[in-house]
Amino acid sequence: MTRRITLGAGQLGPISKDESRAAVVERLIALLHQAHHAGVDLLAFPELALTTFFPRWYTEDLCGHDHYYEKEMPNAATQPLFDEALRLKIGFSLGYAELTPDGHRYNTTILVERDGSIVGRYRKVHIPGHEEDEALRPFQHLERRYFEESSEGFNVHRCFDGIVGMATCNDRRWPETYREMGLQGVEVILIGYNTPIFYAPDPGQNALAGFHNQLVMQAGAYQNGTWVIGVAKGGIEEGVESLAQSSIIAPSGQVVAQAVSNGDELVSVIADLDWCANYKETLFNFARYRRPEAYQRISNQKGVMLP
Amino acid sequence: MTRRITLGAGQLGPISKDESRAAVVERLIALLHQAHHAGVDLLAFPELALTTFFPRWYTEDLCGHDHYYEKEMPNAATQPLFDEALRLKIGFSLGYAELTPDGHRYNTTILVERDGSIVGRYRKVHIPGHEEDEALRPFQHLERRYFEESSEGFNVHRCFDGIVGMATCNDRRWPETYREMGLQGVEVILIGYNTPIFYAPDPGQNALAGFHNQLVMQAGAYQNGTWVIGVAKGGIEEGVESLAQSSIIAPSGQVVAQAVSNGDELVSVIADLDWCANYKETLFNFARYRRPEAYQRISNQKGVMLP
């Protein structure tokens, strides 16, 4: 049996500080057109895909970055993207900064089906970086200032003939992310990211950025028998170099598609969702082999407890 | 700061069906001598290191394989290994089939310090394979017939100037294995394995055996900031080819030592246990970044629950 769907990763190059929403949406639509040409059914866009990665700058007032947030989705600026996707019958996921009516700020991604309906919304669970001004860093990573940790966890959605879930950037480094969705039968996980190559707390890791990026997604894919799309906003954005290397990973853990540039680029693959069963029904038959009684620390403990 | 310890993986080639304990122990001691020459402080031996991998054959009576089990450890056959290790002041881990006085069967590994004291014992948590005769397979994998799942979980031990844990073979494919120990501050995880390359439920995975082996250990090492040793009984044993490729993996996820043969072979590395902090105190600062409230399925659910 096969359930084929063409998955796409719509990588973005840098978005400048003053780039308008309209200009960005034009770039997203251009990727959508490439995706149409490639027969893509589901196109993943990056994390915070509508603006520059603003958490690199400190503002004393939290509202200082509010112009980078969206108050509704879709909205006037993004409606053309939704309209064109519907016209072309391509589903997509889109990351953006969400400012809710009651003043909460989330790092959010929505999932839109080919018929234009919003079938899922994910708010980032693992918020990395720091909360306060650390002016000694060459650039900051103030996600913990500008976004609240979501309390909605990891969920999956029945769509695209399968079961689809989302995660964002730092989430991908935590095996719990994939497993929570694996325990719901996930078959495709969409992960957008903005990953500066320079990591201030330990610059020795810089040269391993690409390796670490793929290592965790490949392991997560294999260990849960799921397709994974990792899609970057890459390149040198406002002086900060971020990892590109958007990729699509099969349930075997193999990288089956890979971006080569640091800019706007589409990669795609014809994915058989039934390939997941090769892993889910054998080696990773959870009902047969998992031992939750041995996993009690994972859900009940936060930090390390030494022996 | 550095806390240097030389880690070794004492890979074994095949052990034949009729090979005596004495002959095997001689081979283990030969590896110990190589380890001494290389300055090894802690030498990991494989899973079920004293005999052929007997779960490949079915016996109607469970006791049919009892001659492959140990009733005590150490015992007369293995005492020379313990004595020599003590003389050379090398610690080691050793996998064996354990038959307890009250008739329980476990896939067990012990950890012995340089002063000869047994500082840890681990009984395999994830038991793979099948329970009943499946004669159509070219060879069987009856671990679930010959071993009980341990209820002792994953623990760590203060020894070798650090915090050391153990896992076995199939355990290494589950991220929970590493995380349970990561939550106890583990700095070195010792994993012995017997991994047939041919996987009957899905032979398409055979060619990925080496890739999958390292993928999961590299991810587990990185995601928990720990050294990992994967040590095989490899080569063609009683007609069944098993993966060798014993390796030592740094907290970065990098493979830093790798066996090249399918036989008895030592690989070793000078490991700085303080290197773990580069990951544990930054990216993977669990107390700061983990979200157990979002991980509730992991400890509370066994199999998949579809949306």
Side-chain angles (χ1 to χ4, degrees), chain B residues 190-247:
Chain B
L190 315 173
I191 310 180
Y193 59 89
N194 287 259
T195 297
I197 290 175
F198 180 90
Y199 181 59
D202 182 24
Q205 295 183 28
N206 299 353
L208 300 174
F211 162 60
H212 285 154
N213 171 58
Q214 284 193 343
L215 175 63
V216 294
M217 292 195 292
Q218 291 182 271
Y222 167 65
Q223 290 169 323
N224 294 280
T226 177
W227 293 87
V228 174
I229 301 178
V231 56
K233 178 143 60 66
I236 301 174
E237 186 180 85
E238 299 290 341
V240 174
E241 182 163 16
S242 286
L243 185 71
Q245 295 184 15
S246 300
S247 60

Side-chain angles (χ1 to χ4, degrees), chain B residues 269-298:
Chain B
V269 72
I270 299 169
D272 178 359
L273 297 185
D274 284 336
W275 200 250
C276 298
N278 287 21
Y279 294 86
K280 292 181 188 293
E281 292 178 9
T282 63
L283 199 51
F284 298 126
N285 179 330
F286 291 169
R288 188 174 190 186
Y289 295 123
R290 280 187 84 243
R291 301 292 321 286
E293 48 272 77
Y295 312 150
Q296 291 303 302
R297 294 174 183 90
I298 293 174

Side-chain angles (χ1 to χ4, degrees), chain B residues 1 35 48 67 83 94-95 137 158 264 276 290-291 300:
Chain B
M1 242 180 77
L48 300 174
H67 57 289
D83 293 344
L94 180 71
R137 293 187 181 222
R158 285 187 183 278
D264 296 9
C276 298
R290 280 187 84 243
R291 301 292 321 286
N300 297 310

Side-chain angles (χ1 to χ4, degrees), chain A residues 289 291 293-295 297, chain B residues 45-48 73 92-100 105-112 118-128 143 147-157 164-174 176-178 180-181 184 186 188-193 229:
Chain A
Y289 296 124
R291 300 293 319 287
E293 50 272 59
Y295 312 150
R297 293 174 183 91
Chain B
F45 286 120
E47 171 190 32
L48 300 174
M73 184 57 64
F92 65 96
S93 61
L94 180 71
Y96 61 99
E98 178 190 9
L99 176 57
T100 68
R105 292 176 175 77
Y106 298 109
N107 185 331
T108 299
T109 305
I110 45 151
L111 178 60
V112 184
I118 294 178
V119 296
R121 181 197 67 205
Y122 168 69
R123 290 168 171 167
K124 189 169 175 178
V125 168
H126 298 95
I127 308 292
E143 279 191 72
F147 295 118
E148 299 168 39
E149 291 174 331
S150 162
S151 57
E152 295 172 351
F154 295 103
N155 301 295
V156 303
H157 314 283
V164 181
M166 293 172 277
T168 301
C169 201
N170 185 262
D171 285 329
R172 74 192 185 290
R173 304 183 192 277
W174 305 86
E176 291 87 343
T177 296
Y178 307 90
E180 277 288 313
M181 289 188 269
Q184 300 172 69
V186 77
V188 184
I189 299 179
L190 315 173
I191 310 180
Y193 59 89
I229 301 178

Side-chain angles (χ1 to χ4, degrees), chain B residues 123-142:
Chain B
R123 290 168 171 167
K124 189 169 175 178
V125 168
H126 298 95
I127 308 292
H130 54 108
E131 296 88 350
E132 299 302 331
D133 191 13
E134 292 188 15
L136 290 178
R137 293 187 181 222
F139 57 89
Q140 313 216 32
H141 200 108
L142 287 150

